[in-house]
Amino acid sequence: MKEQSDRLNNQAIILASDGAYSEAIACFKRAITLERDNYLLWYNLGITYRDAGNLEEAKNSLGTAFAISPENPDVEETYATVCLMQKDFDLVHQICEEGLDYNPLHSHLWNLLGVSEFQSENYEKASEYFEYAVSINPYYLDALYNLKDTYSVIKNKTGEAECAQKIKDIES
């Protein structure tokens, strides 16, 4: 019976969901030898590495997925998030900016840019990114919480109170 990359992918996903990361990674790698330019295999491998706690390999695999399919919003967001976890702020910006070229209304990428700026202590710039994310999606709680926290740091009490009220309205 001939091996097929989609079957190996499915098998690897099941293994990963059961916590068998080493076996899942081996399956993904085998599938990639059969279909090297399949972004989904690289993406799933990256997620599995991330879940196994290997952020460097996750970053590498997601970087390959991004090179193959830079317009894919899931790839963009996951890759940027892993880079953010590693505090690679320059790469976060590069990924988000390229992703926003494809989809300027991707609120999660705007939020990630804000988080990157917040962690770099560029609070005014962070607030701009969070504000834009919330303007795209007024119900995006993560961005609202981030904006509220940023307003708190920069002593914008009015903005902080408005965010708190919006969060309360959404959550009730």
Short mmCIF file of all heavy atoms in Angstrom, two decimals, residues 77-99:
data_model
loop_
_atom_site.label_atom_id
_atom_site.label_comp_id
_atom_site.label_asym_id
_atom_site.label_seq_id
_atom_site.Cartn_x
_atom_site.Cartn_y
_atom_site.Cartn_z
N GLU A 77 -0.94 34.17 11.73
CA GLU A 77 -1.20 34.41 13.15
C GLU A 77 -0.40 33.46 14.04
O GLU A 77 0.20 33.88 15.04
CB GLU A 77 -2.69 34.28 13.44
CG GLU A 77 -3.04 34.62 14.86
CD GLU A 77 -4.53 34.55 15.14
OE1 GLU A 77 -5.34 34.43 14.20
OE2 GLU A 77 -4.88 34.64 16.33
N THR A 78 -0.37 32.19 13.69
CA THR A 78 0.34 31.21 14.51
C THR A 78 1.84 31.46 14.49
O THR A 78 2.51 31.42 15.53
CB THR A 78 0.02 29.78 14.04
OG1 THR A 78 -1.40 29.61 14.04
CG2 THR A 78 0.64 28.74 14.95
N TYR A 79 2.37 31.74 13.30
CA TYR A 79 3.80 32.02 13.17
C TYR A 79 4.17 33.27 13.97
O TYR A 79 5.14 33.27 14.74
CB TYR A 79 4.12 32.18 11.68
CG TYR A 79 5.57 32.38 11.31
CD1 TYR A 79 6.61 31.86 12.06
CD2 TYR A 79 5.89 33.09 10.16
CE1 TYR A 79 7.94 32.04 11.68
CE2 TYR A 79 7.20 33.28 9.77
CZ TYR A 79 8.22 32.76 10.53
OH TYR A 79 9.53 32.95 10.15
N ALA A 80 3.39 34.33 13.83
CA ALA A 80 3.68 35.56 14.57
C ALA A 80 3.57 35.33 16.07
O ALA A 80 4.37 35.87 16.84
CB ALA A 80 2.73 36.68 14.12
N THR A 81 2.61 34.53 16.50
CA THR A 81 2.43 34.26 17.93
C THR A 81 3.64 33.51 18.50
O THR A 81 4.12 33.83 19.59
CB THR A 81 1.13 33.47 18.17
OG1 THR A 81 0.03 34.24 17.70
CG2 THR A 81 0.94 33.15 19.65
N VAL A 82 4.13 32.52 17.77
CA VAL A 82 5.31 31.77 18.24
C VAL A 82 6.52 32.71 18.31
O VAL A 82 7.29 32.67 19.28
CB VAL A 82 5.59 30.54 17.34
CG1 VAL A 82 6.97 29.96 17.60
CG2 VAL A 82 4.51 29.48 17.58
N CYS A 83 6.67 33.57 17.32
CA CYS A 83 7.77 34.53 17.34
C CYS A 83 7.63 35.49 18.52
O CYS A 83 8.62 35.85 19.16
CB CYS A 83 7.84 35.30 16.02
SG CYS A 83 8.34 34.25 14.63
N LEU A 84 6.41 35.89 18.83
CA LEU A 84 6.15 36.75 19.98
C LEU A 84 6.53 36.03 21.28
O LEU A 84 7.12 36.64 22.18
CB LEU A 84 4.68 37.16 20.00
CG LEU A 84 4.27 38.18 21.04
CD1 LEU A 84 4.97 39.52 20.80
CD2 LEU A 84 2.76 38.38 21.01
N MET A 85 6.22 34.76 21.36
CA MET A 85 6.58 33.97 22.54
C MET A 85 8.10 33.94 22.73
O MET A 85 8.58 33.85 23.87
CB MET A 85 6.03 32.54 22.41
CG MET A 85 4.51 32.46 22.46
SD MET A 85 3.88 30.85 21.93
CE MET A 85 4.25 29.87 23.37
N GLN A 86 8.84 34.05 21.64
CA GLN A 86 10.30 34.06 21.71
C GLN A 86 10.87 35.48 21.77
O GLN A 86 12.08 35.65 21.72
CB GLN A 86 10.88 33.33 20.50
CG GLN A 86 10.58 31.85 20.51
CD GLN A 86 11.33 31.14 19.40
OE1 GLN A 86 11.16 31.45 18.24
NE2 GLN A 86 12.16 30.20 19.80
N LYS A 87 9.98 36.46 21.83
CA LYS A 87 10.37 37.87 21.89
C LYS A 87 11.15 38.32 20.66
O LYS A 87 12.00 39.20 20.74
CB LYS A 87 11.16 38.17 23.17
CG LYS A 87 10.49 37.68 24.44
CD LYS A 87 10.02 38.82 25.27
CE LYS A 87 9.43 38.37 26.59
NZ LYS A 87 8.01 38.29 26.58
N ASP A 88 10.85 37.72 19.51
CA ASP A 88 11.46 38.13 18.24
C ASP A 88 10.55 39.18 17.61
O ASP A 88 9.82 38.92 16.64
CB ASP A 88 11.64 36.91 17.33
CG ASP A 88 12.47 37.20 16.09
OD1 ASP A 88 12.64 38.41 15.76
OD2 ASP A 88 12.94 36.25 15.46
N PHE A 89 10.58 40.37 18.17
CA PHE A 89 9.64 41.43 17.80
C PHE A 89 9.80 41.89 16.35
O PHE A 89 8.82 42.20 15.69
CB PHE A 89 9.77 42.62 18.76
CG PHE A 89 9.52 42.26 20.20
CD1 PHE A 89 10.41 42.62 21.19
CD2 PHE A 89 8.39 41.53 20.57
CE1 PHE A 89 10.19 42.29 22.52
CE2 PHE A 89 8.15 41.19 21.90
CZ PHE A 89 9.05 41.57 22.88
N ASP A 90 11.03 41.91 15.86
CA ASP A 90 11.24 42.31 14.46
C ASP A 90 10.54 41.35 13.51
O ASP A 90 9.90 41.77 12.54
CB ASP A 90 12.73 42.39 14.12
CG ASP A 90 13.42 43.55 14.80
OD1 ASP A 90 12.73 44.53 15.19
OD2 ASP A 90 14.66 43.51 14.95
N LEU A 91 10.65 40.06 13.79
CA LEU A 91 10.01 39.07 12.93
C LEU A 91 8.49 39.12 13.08
O LEU A 91 7.76 38.96 12.09
CB LEU A 91 10.54 37.66 13.22
CG LEU A 91 10.16 36.57 12.23
CD1 LEU A 91 10.44 36.98 10.78
CD2 LEU A 91 10.90 35.28 12.56
N VAL A 92 8.00 39.38 14.27
CA VAL A 92 6.55 39.55 14.48
C VAL A 92 6.05 40.66 13.56
O VAL A 92 5.05 40.49 12.85
CB VAL A 92 6.21 39.87 15.96
CG1 VAL A 92 4.74 40.27 16.10
CG2 VAL A 92 6.53 38.69 16.86
N HIS A 93 6.76 41.78 13.55
CA HIS A 93 6.35 42.90 12.69
C HIS A 93 6.39 42.53 11.22
O HIS A 93 5.47 42.85 10.47
CB HIS A 93 7.22 44.14 12.98
CG HIS A 93 6.73 44.92 14.14
ND1 HIS A 93 5.89 45.99 14.01
CD2 HIS A 93 6.93 44.76 15.47
CE1 HIS A 93 5.61 46.48 15.20
NE2 HIS A 93 6.22 45.74 16.11
N GLN A 94 7.44 41.85 10.83
CA GLN A 94 7.58 41.46 9.42
C GLN A 94 6.42 40.55 8.99
O GLN A 94 5.81 40.77 7.94
CB GLN A 94 8.92 40.74 9.22
CG GLN A 94 9.17 40.27 7.82
CD GLN A 94 10.48 39.49 7.72
OE1 GLN A 94 11.42 39.71 8.48
NE2 GLN A 94 10.53 38.56 6.79
N ILE A 95 6.11 39.56 9.80
CA ILE A 95 5.03 38.61 9.49
C ILE A 95 3.69 39.35 9.43
O ILE A 95 2.91 39.18 8.49
CB ILE A 95 4.98 37.49 10.54
CG1 ILE A 95 6.24 36.64 10.51
CG2 ILE A 95 3.73 36.61 10.34
CD1 ILE A 95 6.46 35.83 11.78
N CYS A 96 3.42 40.15 10.46
CA CYS A 96 2.14 40.85 10.53
C CYS A 96 1.98 41.83 9.37
O CYS A 96 0.91 41.91 8.75
CB CYS A 96 1.98 41.56 11.86
SG CYS A 96 1.73 40.44 13.26
N GLU A 97 3.02 42.56 9.08
CA GLU A 97 2.93 43.54 7.99
C GLU A 97 2.70 42.84 6.65
O GLU A 97 1.89 43.29 5.84
CB GLU A 97 4.17 44.42 7.96
CG GLU A 97 4.18 45.40 9.13
CD GLU A 97 5.50 46.11 9.34
OE1 GLU A 97 6.42 45.97 8.50
OE2 GLU A 97 5.62 46.82 10.37
N GLU A 98 3.39 41.73 6.43
CA GLU A 98 3.16 40.98 5.18
C GLU A 98 1.74 40.40 5.17
O GLU A 98 1.05 40.46 4.15
CB GLU A 98 4.20 39.87 5.03
CG GLU A 98 4.16 39.22 3.66
CD GLU A 98 5.35 38.33 3.39
OE1 GLU A 98 6.42 38.49 4.03
OE2 GLU A 98 5.21 37.44 2.53
N GLY A 99 1.30 39.88 6.28
CA GLY A 99 -0.05 39.33 6.37
C GLY A 99 -1.10 40.41 6.15
O GLY A 99 -2.12 40.17 5.50
#
